[in-house]
Amino acid sequence: MAAGVVTKLQTIVSREIDPDQFAVVTVGSIQAGHTENIISDRAEVRINVRTQNHEVRNRVLASIRRVVKGECEASGATKEPLIEETTKFPLSVNDPDVTKKVHKSFEAFFGDRFDPNTSCSTASEDYSILGSTQGKPCCFWFFGGTDETTWDDAEKKGRVVEDVPVNHSPFFAPVIQPTLGTGIDALCLAALTFLTNP
């Protein structure tokens, strides 16, 4: 039953979401039973959903509920599935005015090390709770943590995706410097952008 749910969940994005929209449905954990010769009476499936607008998010969540309930009914489950949200983060949307000011400060300080052309991210961040839920303007940015030689080698080989571990990889290990220094500089610069007189 759980395997059927997982398989069907993987069709939501491909069959129900407009290709021009962004959505990810990830089954990150499935736990059922403790040994190979006893059929478990329960399964826990943990799902991560990422979207870039509320309409798509609501559609995906409704589809997940429909798929889980439908598979349980089709498999003859003796009770309704329990579906509960364990984590939920609002969309991270950068305020244009704040972003423009931070951009100016970063560009002046970091020079050619500053790249303002970061593409839309698929990250789900609790950061957005700080600004979005309080109705305050906010700006979220990224800075690299990969050793320059590792990055350059991977880029030359066209293997950045394969050879540079990202933050949810078990191999993710950012170099301490200049990562830490860049992060501190960025936070201080952003704060000073708004705490100093114009």
Side-chain angles (χ1 to χ4, degrees), residues 1-64:
M1 188 181 314
V5 166
V6 172
T7 301
K8 287 178 180 62
L9 287 174
Q10 299 310 301
T11 66
I12 291 173
V13 173
S14 62
R15 294 184 180 174
E16 299 183 37
I17 303 302
D18 185 323
D20 291 333
Q21 298 291 333
F22 171 82
V24 174
V25 175
T26 303
V27 176
S29 171
I30 181 168
Q31 297 174 347
H34 300 287
T35 188
E36 69 279 0
N37 65 343
I38 298 174
I39 297 171
S40 177
D41 63 343
R42 66 184 305 268
E44 185 175 292
V45 180
R46 293 180 176 261
I47 305 165
N48 180 267
V49 174
R50 286 170 280 157
T51 64
Q52 292 176 341
N53 73 55
H54 295 291
E55 181 184 311
V56 172
R57 180 177 181 77
N58 291 337
R59 190 176 317 132
V60 169
L61 293 175
S63 296
I64 289 170

Side-chain angles (χ1 to χ4, degrees), residues 105-165:
S105 294
F106 283 9
E107 194 168 49
F109 183 84
F110 291 113
D112 63 356
R113 294 189 302 144
F114 173 61
D115 179 8
N117 299 314
T118 303
S119 58
C120 222
S121 171
T122 61
S124 54
E125 279 296 328
D126 55 358
Y127 161 80
S128 54
I129 294 170
L130 296 172
S132 303
T133 61
Q134 301 304 310
K136 303 295 181 188
C138 55
C139 177
F140 185 81
W141 63 81
F142 292 94
F143 55 91
T146 303
D147 173 73
E148 281 187 64
T149 305
T150 302
W151 179 271
D152 290 344
D153 287 348
E155 199 170 41
K156 283 177 193 169
K157 296 174 186 173
R159 293 186 47 88
V160 171
V161 172
E162 296 87 348
D163 295 347
V164 178

Side-chain angles (χ1 to χ4, degrees), residues 67-140:
V67 165
V68 171
K69 288 180 179 180
E71 183 63 26
C72 288
E73 186 177 334
S75 298
T78 56
K79 56 185 174 182
E80 285 282 311
L82 172 64
I83 300 172
E84 58 185 2
E85 291 184 7
T86 55
T87 57
K88 183 177 180 180
F89 306 114
L91 295 174
S92 296
V93 180
N94 283 352
D95 177 83
D97 186 49
V98 171
T99 302
K100 184 177 178 181
K101 290 174 181 173
V102 170
H103 177 150
K104 187 176 176 183
S105 294
F106 283 9
E107 194 168 49
F109 183 84
F110 291 113
D112 63 356
R113 294 189 302 144
F114 173 61
D115 179 8
N117 299 314
T118 303
S119 58
C120 222
S121 171
T122 61
S124 54
E125 279 296 328
D126 55 358
Y127 161 80
S128 54
I129 294 170
L130 296 172
S132 303
T133 61
Q134 301 304 310
K136 303 295 181 188
C138 55
C139 177
F140 185 81

